[in-house]
Amino acid sequence: MNEIPHWLEKQSDLQPTNVAIEYGEHQSISYSELREESRKLAKGLIKKGVKQGDHVAILSGNRVEFPICVHALSYIGAVVVCLNTRLSPEELAFQLTDADATSFIVDTEFVEEGHKAIELTTLNEDTLVTMDHLPKADGSISLNDQLSLDDVFTMMYTSGTTGKPKAVMHTYGNHWFSAVASALNLGLSARDKWLACLPLFHVGGFSLLMKNVIYGMPIRMLARFDAEVINNEIRHHGVTIVSVVTVMLQRLLKDLQENSYPRSFRCMLLGGGPVPKPLLHKANERNIPVFQTYGMTETSSQIVTLSPSDALRKIGSAGKALAPATLKVLVGGRIAEPYETGEIHVRGPMVSSGYYKKGHREAEYLATGDAGYLDEEGFLYVVDRVNDMIISGGENIYPAEVESVLLGIEGVEEAGVTGMPDDEWGEVPTAFIVKKEEADISLEKLNEYCRGHLAPYKIPKQLFVISQLPRNASNKIVRRKLFKSVEGEHGYEH
Amino acid sequence: MNEIPHWLEKQSDLQPTNVAIEYGEHQSISYSELREESRKLAKGLIKKGVKQGDHVAILSGNRVEFPICVHALSYIGAVVVCLNTRLSPEELAFQLTDADATSFIVDTEFVEEGHKAIELTTLNEDTLVTMDHLPKADGSISLNDQLSLDDVFTMMYTSGTTGKPKAVMHTYGNHWFSAVASALNLGLSARDKWLACLPLFHVGGFSLLMKNVIYGMPIRMLARFDAEVINNEIRHHGVTIVSVVTVMLQRLLKDLQENSYPRSFRCMLLGGGPVPKPLLHKANERNIPVFQTYGMTETSSQIVTLSPSDALRKIGSAGKALAPATLKVLVGGRIAEPYETGEIHVRGPMVSSGYYKKGHREAEYLATGDAGYLDEEGFLYVVDRVNDMIISGGENIYPAEVESVLLGIEGVEEAGVTGMPDDEWGEVPTAFIVKKEEADISLEKLNEYCRGHLAPYKIPKQLFVISQLPRNASNKIVRRKLFKSVEGEHGYEH
């Protein structure tokens, strides 16, 4: 029961001439062309020595060769190691080595970083293949026509806001169940076209490559986020679903101005962490169907999503666990009461069974490291990272909640909050603000606003106005580095 | 990866107040009510001694207690043995004994047959539970909250046109993959409502109970087929999909007269064997979206289906294997050429791994016993049962092809064809016709019509006009019994 036909073979059989991927200005590739290109590359790589079970790293932006490489490796039965293009050569070298990569496919744009990274490893230079010179071959070389759901397909390093990154292993089954779980929640229409502007090397973007071949749904691939381009695609080119993170939604709304989306646009899937409520209300006022979602690399993208029918009633919630998944919130080993914040635990067939070289998870549930609570109807509200929690005078403070309030202050562009050691309270919250040009931000102003929205112990006791927040390769705030970014400086104290 | 949350628990959590099943005149049950009733029954059955792993037979028409019993047994982890209500007490007794059933739930309508059957087994009378007195209980009895995809959930006896019936075993996974495979083909809309008029004890009807809880899609359950009622449900009560067999489609079209279906009606899923082409053309002319499908008990219902986008272009074809399935046609162990008829073989995660007490299938592919061919694009055309093939002068004749032509003759209501021993040709085709009242059917008339549609060797050489065709409990023609039905009579000879 654990084998299915190779998904690209299947789609190429079911709908050979239909567009699979739109990319670039006006380019597209059909399912049969995608199959042909992927198979040629698979044969070329086999001739170069790549074989079943090999770990092949890909360092690439969003270009059509990315899915071609991914599918080629599935035809060989090799494991795809997805690398983040924002990593330094040292970081790349660490992941290449840790992942036991034996080949390295590099987008031309990142070829310099690729070579630098190779130098820091024991890999030979000739294991590096550039995307403009992918080896292609014909002939009767046998390729996989079935996929085993139990086989490992991809490895992706967790963004790791603490410690060394670890490689999450995903099986074909993890990706398959993830795609199907989303369809059971959002429905599936022959008119769907999903826009991919998230990086494909992250699980959120990668999951669209999977839906592309598991549903047989076309995707529109963009090299990078561009609010104007995306709004144009939604308004005039038939895009029905877009996956975004908070900052993207903000920019889309700003660019949209007084215009609106067509009724055929059915879902803005919003992931990537806690979302400020004012933004959700704004989207709601503009009749934009935003569905908040929660997931991580370990869950092969979304695992909790607000369903269309609950979207308006439960603004701010990430929803419920998708049909094949289960969710619970634990506090000190017991099930949390409604509204009691604890650590989110998830299980389901889309959840990775473990990290490379770290052994399989023994527990049925994955402890996510994220803090959240359920309301009385069981809807999840994600609060923050458990490890980022500030304890002040015995009270728990989640930075994301405070940041969300700070973002409501006029003139605040970005906000980060972390704890500062304090003799009296143990820790006190401290705010780090990137302000808009011309804006005038002071601790007094900040306090005045916060008093109307936060309990006194949650209000930041110190303020640093800085030019940019420390972020990791996944663009997430690294709160433990906030103080480092202002070393030697003095903040505005309370 | 092989566990998912109990599907009814999940739907009751996701959409407690939404209608799950419409039944009777104007009755309905919500997902939370369906859960509540099923759990109460599960607890009642446990108190009566039913336990995990028990085999519990159900003999029931299409009534809401059927799904309640099915879900109750899944909460216990007991196996559902589905019995055909058209079976005689002797046949029921055989299946109860063969299936090692330890309890027997009987619809009030069939309680007499139930008791008679029990008498022919070693079961005690008190193992029989009638649906009007289902045991219900409350209290803290532990029930399954997860389902293992590998566990056996149902057993259904194959209709068996030859030999003793065998019990096909389906796991939770077989049913789950079957439901998901259909959604990947037909799409999934929040507006869907699927009408269930096929018997629920057959896999075609049963699969709707699965979609009901796996998709969270409401179903409209009818006790029996009634063309007028069904047309009314489609035209005025929001039914968007109906599963039918050929004779039902014929009657729906007849009842529809000059009326039409609304555009929201998106699929008439037509299964249950070869279909006469004139009927498909007629449906096409009336803009009725008929999708032919092919499947059997062993494949947990449909496994090959014509997709919406190919429906018009490939009339008469059953389509291609659904996304998680594979199909091949074999002739003497080799892959058949396009248009070459051979035996259909299928594989996929919805295919049962074997029959009860007969061991697991060793081969990857299931040999279906059905004859068919693929066209040059790989679309399947189902021809007939392999075993019903007539060999005449070295030529293969499939009765279904001849029957389909005979049904085009005015005055022919039903037609059955089988081979008659012949000294010269080995076998020659013989026709058995049920004629419409007043119609005048002769061998000459039949031959004249057939000459325009069939090769000479396929034209029936003898004709019997009879009052009804021999059919099994699944309403399929039992061709090997055609001659028995006219023993002693002489046909119109050529």
Side-chain angles (χ1 to χ4, degrees):
Chain A
M1 197 170 82
N2 286 325
E3 287 211 350
I4 58 171
H6 190 288
W7 39 47
L8 181 51
E9 288 296 294
K10 177 56 79 169
Q11 293 306 334
S12 175
D13 179 38
L14 292 177
Q15 47 173 339
T17 58
N18 288 356
V19 168
I21 304 174
E22 294 176 9
Y23 61 98
E25 286 284 315
H26 298 289
Q27 289 164 282
S28 70
I29 185 167
S30 71
Y31 281 104
S32 64
E33 289 162 347
L34 182 60
R35 169 184 184 267
E36 202 54 35
E37 290 299 311
S38 303
R39 290 177 68 94
K40 276 186 188 165
L41 174 57
K43 291 175 181 179
L45 289 171
I46 288 172
K47 284 196 170 171
K48 239 184 103 44
V50 176
K51 54 188 192 309
Q52 183 176 352
D54 278 1
H55 293 189
V56 179
I58 300 178
L59 176 68
S60 175
N62 285 9
R63 47 185 288 186
V64 72
E65 287 79 6
F66 194 119
I68 290 171
C69 290
V70 165
H71 297 309
L73 294 173
S74 71
Y75 277 120
I76 301 172
V79 175
V80 182
V81 181
C82 292
L83 299 177
N84 188 323
T85 58
R86 297 177 60 166
L87 295 178
S88 69
E90 290 74 18
E91 290 169 313
L92 289 172
F94 168 81
Q95 296 190 8
L96 286 169
T97 304
D98 181 71
D100 293 323
T102 52
S103 298
F104 189 18
I105 303 175
V106 182
D107 185 347
T108 324
E109 200 184 328
F110 304 102
V111 79
E112 205 182 308
E113 288 83 350
H115 280 293
K116 281 186 189 161
I118 283 270
E119 278 174 33
L120 299 170
T121 70
T122 58
L123 283 169
N124 284 326
E125 269 293 328
D126 61 4
T127 57
L128 188 149
V129 176
T130 63
M131 281 200 171
D132 287 349
H133 295 92
L134 289 173
K136 302 279 176 100
D138 282 312
S140 61
I141 297 171
S142 164
L143 300 176
N144 289 342
D145 58 0
Q146 294 272 326
L147 301 173
S148 167
L149 298 180
D150 297 328
D151 285 350
V152 173
F153 180 28
T154 56
M155 286 166 50
M156 297 183 194
Y157 281 82
T158 45
S159 44
T161 49
T162 55
K164 278 278 179 199
K166 296 175 290 184
V168 176
M169 295 186 298
H170 302 114
T171 60
Y172 286 94
N174 290 147
H175 287 296
W176 194 84
F177 278 97
S178 171
V180 167
S182 174
L184 290 176
N185 178 49
L186 286 179
L188 195 58
S189 161
R191 287 183 297 275
D192 277 338
K193 179 161 71 174
W194 204 313
L195 186 136
C197 57
L198 297 172
L200 298 175
F201 54 76
H202 276 162
V203 78
F206 192 91
S207 72
L208 303 184
L209 302 184
M210 298 293 93
K211 293 182 173 90
N212 182 228
V213 288
I214 294 169
Y215 305 166
M217 169 191 69
I219 58 172
R220 172 68 171 108
M221 184 192 292
L222 293 182
R224 55 188 57 78
F225 177 84
D226 181 320
E228 192 184 334
V229 171
I230 294 175
N231 277 334
N232 186 47
E233 290 287 336
I234 296 173
R235 296 184 60 217
H236 305 299
H237 298 289
V239 162
T240 63
I241 310 180
V242 179
S243 300
V244 292
V245 296
T246 303
V247 62
M248 294 177 174
L249 177 58
Q250 278 163 338
R251 292 184 194 161
L252 286 172
L253 278 171
K254 195 173 167 189
D255 174 81
L256 192 61
Q257 295 177 12
E258 295 314 305
N259 297 313
S260 62
Y261 290 154
R263 282 184 56 185
S264 56
F265 179 74
R266 66 189 192 88
C267 171
M268 185 79 81
L269 196 69
L270 178 60
V275 184
K277 260 197 166 178
L279 178 65
L280 294 170
H281 284 294
K282 201 167 160 189
N284 183 21
E285 281 160 22
R286 304 295 302 275
N287 286 318
I288 297 174
V290 173
F291 305 140
Q292 247 192 285
T293 181
Y294 168 72
M296 64 210 78
T297 309
E298 286 86 340
T299 60
S300 311
S301 84
Q302 46 167 329
I303 187 164
V304 178
T305 306
L306 199 55
S307 72
S309 56
D310 294 314
L312 285 181
R313 202 166 63 87
K314 293 286 177 181
I315 281 187
S317 168
K320 294 196 170 191
L322 297 176
T326 321
L327 156 70
K328 62 184 182 186
V329 174
L330 293 183
V331 177
R334 67 165 172 84
I335 298 284
E337 301 294 323
Y339 295 102
E340 185 185 15
T341 299
E343 185 171 5
I344 301 167
H345 286 66
V346 292
R347 72 183 283 194
M350 68 287 272
V351 180
S352 162
S353 70
Y355 305 93
Y356 186 55
K357 289 180 183 166
K358 312 276 179 192
H360 286 269
R361 187 181 64 256
E362 294 293 322
E364 282 174 343
Y365 281 82
L366 170 77
T368 63
D370 288 316
Y373 63 86
L374 303 176
D375 69 11
E376 72 286 354
E377 290 182 78
F379 285 84
L380 177 69
Y381 293 76
V382 180
V383 172
D384 211 332
R385 294 292 299 168
V386 169
N387 288 332
D388 284 352
M389 190 177 76
I390 304 163
I391 305 181
S392 186
E395 298 278 5
N396 298 343
I397 302 169
Y398 288 98
E401 186 192 2
V402 183
E403 288 162 3
S404 171
V405 168
L406 296 179
L407 286 170
I409 299 174
E410 217 185 301
V412 171
E413 184 85 36
E414 295 177 62
V417 168
T418 190
M420 183 175 62
D422 184 270
D423 290 341
E424 191 178 356
W425 303 104
E427 284 184 295
V428 290
T430 304
F432 296 78
I433 301 284
V434 178
K435 69 181 187 69
K436 289 176 185 157
E437 276 179 63
E438 315 281 312
D440 176 31
I441 300 290
S442 67
L443 189 63
E444 289 67 42
K445 197 170 164 181
L446 186 149
N447 271 292
E448 193 183 336
Y449 182 86
C450 287
R451 273 195 289 275
H453 296 79
L454 289 170
Y457 66 90
K458 295 180 184 172
I459 297 174
K461 304 299 177 289
Q462 194 167 17
L463 164 70
F464 290 93
V465 176
I466 57 181
S467 59
Q468 64 173 28
L469 298 179
R471 292 182 183 272
N472 66 12
S474 304
N475 217 20
K476 285 180 185 157
I477 302 174
V478 186
R479 294 199 183 101
R480 67 189 162 81
K481 288 193 181 165
L482 281 167
F483 270 107
K484 266 206 167 150
S485 70
V486 293
E487 252 169 21
E489 285 182 46
H490 291 282
Y492 305 82
E493 262 188 69
H494 196 67
Chain B
M1 197 168 83
N2 285 325
E3 287 210 350
I4 58 171
H6 190 289
W7 37 48
L8 181 51
E9 289 295 295
K10 177 56 78 168
Q11 293 306 333
S12 174
D13 179 38
L14 291 176
Q15 47 173 339
T17 58
N18 288 356
V19 168
I21 304 174
E22 294 176 9
Y23 61 98
E25 286 286 312
H26 298 288
Q27 288 164 281
S28 71
I29 185 168
S30 71
Y31 280 104
S32 63
E33 289 162 347
L34 182 59
R35 169 184 184 268
E36 202 53 35
E37 290 299 310
S38 303
R39 291 177 68 94
K40 276 186 188 164
L41 175 57
K43 291 177 182 179
L45 289 170
I46 288 172
K47 284 197 170 170
K48 238 184 101 49
V50 176
K51 56 189 190 307
Q52 184 176 353
D54 278 2
H55 293 189
V56 179
I58 300 178
L59 176 68
S60 173
N62 286 8
R63 48 184 287 183
V64 73
E65 287 80 5
F66 194 118
I68 290 171
C69 290
V70 165
H71 297 309
L73 294 173
S74 71
Y75 276 120
I76 301 172
V79 176
V80 182
V81 181
C82 292
L83 299 177
N84 189 322
T85 57
R86 297 178 59 167
L87 295 177
S88 68
E90 289 76 16
E91 291 169 311
L92 290 172
F94 169 81
Q95 295 189 8
L96 286 169
T97 304
D98 183 71
D100 294 322
T102 50
S103 299
F104 189 17
I105 302 175
V106 182
D107 185 345
T108 323
E109 201 184 328
F110 304 102
V111 78
E112 204 182 309
E113 289 83 351
H115 281 293
K116 281 186 189 161
I118 284 269
E119 278 174 31
L120 300 170
T121 70
T122 57
L123 283 170
N124 284 326
E125 270 292 327
D126 62 4
T127 58
L128 188 148
V129 175
T130 61
M131 281 199 170
D132 287 348
H133 296 91
L134 290 173
K136 302 278 175 97
D138 282 311
S140 62
I141 298 172
S142 164
L143 300 175
N144 288 341
D145 58 359
Q146 294 272 326
L147 301 172
S148 166
L149 297 180
D150 297 328
D151 284 349
V152 174
F153 179 28
T154 57
M155 287 167 50
M156 298 183 194
Y157 281 83
T158 47
S159 44
T161 50
T162 54
K164 279 277 180 201
K166 294 175 291 185
V168 176
M169 294 186 297
H170 302 114
T171 60
Y172 287 94
N174 289 148
H175 288 295
W176 195 83
F177 277 97
S178 172
V180 167
S182 174
L184 290 175
N185 179 49
L186 287 180
L188 194 59
S189 160
R191 287 182 296 275
D192 277 339
K193 179 160 72 175
W194 204 314
L195 186 138
C197 57
L198 296 172
L200 298 176
F201 54 76
H202 275 162
V203 76
F206 192 91
S207 71
L208 304 184
L209 302 186
M210 299 292 93
K211 294 182 173 88
N212 181 227
V213 287
I214 294 169
Y215 304 167
M217 169 190 69
I219 59 172
R220 171 68 172 109
M221 182 191 293
L222 292 182
R224 55 190 56 79
F225 178 83
D226 181 320
E228 192 184 334
V229 171
I230 294 176
N231 277 334
N232 186 47
E233 290 287 335
I234 297 173
R235 296 183 61 219
H236 305 298
H237 297 289
V239 163
T240 62
I241 311 180
V242 180
S243 299
V244 293
V245 297
T246 303
V247 62
M248 293 177 176
L249 178 58
Q250 278 163 338
R251 292 184 195 162
L252 287 173
L253 278 171
K254 195 173 167 189
D255 174 80
L256 193 60
Q257 296 177 14
E258 296 314 306
N259 297 313
S260 62
Y261 290 154
R263 283 182 58 186
S264 55
F265 179 75
R266 66 189 193 89
C267 172
M268 185 79 81
L269 196 68
L270 178 61
V275 184
K277 259 197 168 180
L279 178 65
L280 295 170
H281 284 293
K282 201 167 157 188
N284 185 19
E285 283 160 22
R286 305 294 301 276
N287 287 318
I288 297 174
V290 172
F291 306 140
Q292 249 192 284
T293 181
Y294 168 70
M296 64 210 76
T297 309
E298 287 85 341
T299 60
S300 313
S301 86
Q302 47 168 330
I303 186 164
V304 178
T305 306
L306 198 56
S307 71
S309 56
D310 294 314
L312 285 181
R313 200 166 65 87
K314 294 285 179 182
I315 279 187
S317 167
K320 295 196 169 190
L322 297 176
T326 322
L327 156 71
K328 62 184 182 185
V329 174
L330 293 182
V331 177
R334 69 166 170 82
I335 298 284
E337 301 293 324
Y339 296 102
E340 186 184 14
T341 299
E343 185 172 4
I344 301 167
H345 287 64
V346 292
R347 73 182 283 194
M350 69 287 273
V351 180
S352 161
S353 69
Y355 305 94
Y356 186 56
K357 289 180 185 164
K358 312 277 180 192
H360 286 269
R361 187 179 65 256
E362 293 294 322
E364 280 174 343
Y365 279 83
L366 170 77
T368 64
D370 289 316
Y373 63 86
L374 302 176
D375 69 11
E376 71 285 355
E377 290 182 77
F379 286 84
L380 176 69
Y381 293 76
V382 179
V383 172
D384 213 332
R385 293 292 300 168
V386 168
N387 288 332
D388 284 351
M389 189 176 76
I390 304 163
I391 305 181
S392 186
E395 298 279 7
N396 298 343
I397 303 168
Y398 288 97
E401 184 191 3
V402 183
E403 289 163 3
S404 171
V405 169
L406 296 178
L407 287 171
I409 299 174
E410 215 186 302
V412 171
E413 183 85 35
E414 295 177 61
V417 169
T418 189
M420 185 175 60
D422 183 272
D423 289 342
E424 192 177 355
W425 303 104
E427 285 183 296
V428 290
T430 304
F432 297 77
I433 300 283
V434 178
K435 69 181 185 70
K436 289 176 185 159
E437 276 179 64
E438 315 281 313
D440 177 31
I441 301 290
S442 68
L443 190 63
E444 290 68 41
K445 195 170 164 181
L446 186 149
N447 270 291
E448 194 183 334
Y449 182 87
C450 286
R451 272 194 291 274
H453 296 81
L454 290 170
Y457 66 90
K458 294 181 184 171
I459 297 174
K461 304 299 178 288
Q462 196 168 15
L463 165 68
F464 291 93
V465 175
I466 57 181
S467 60
Q468 64 173 33
L469 299 179
R471 292 182 184 271
N472 66 13
S474 304
N475 218 20
K476 285 180 185 158
I477 302 174
V478 185
R479 295 199 183 101
R480 67 189 163 81
K481 288 194 180 164
L482 281 167
F483 270 108
K484 266 206 167 152
S485 70
V486 294
E487 252 171 18
E489 286 182 44
H490 291 283
Y492 306 83
E493 259 187 72
H494 198 66

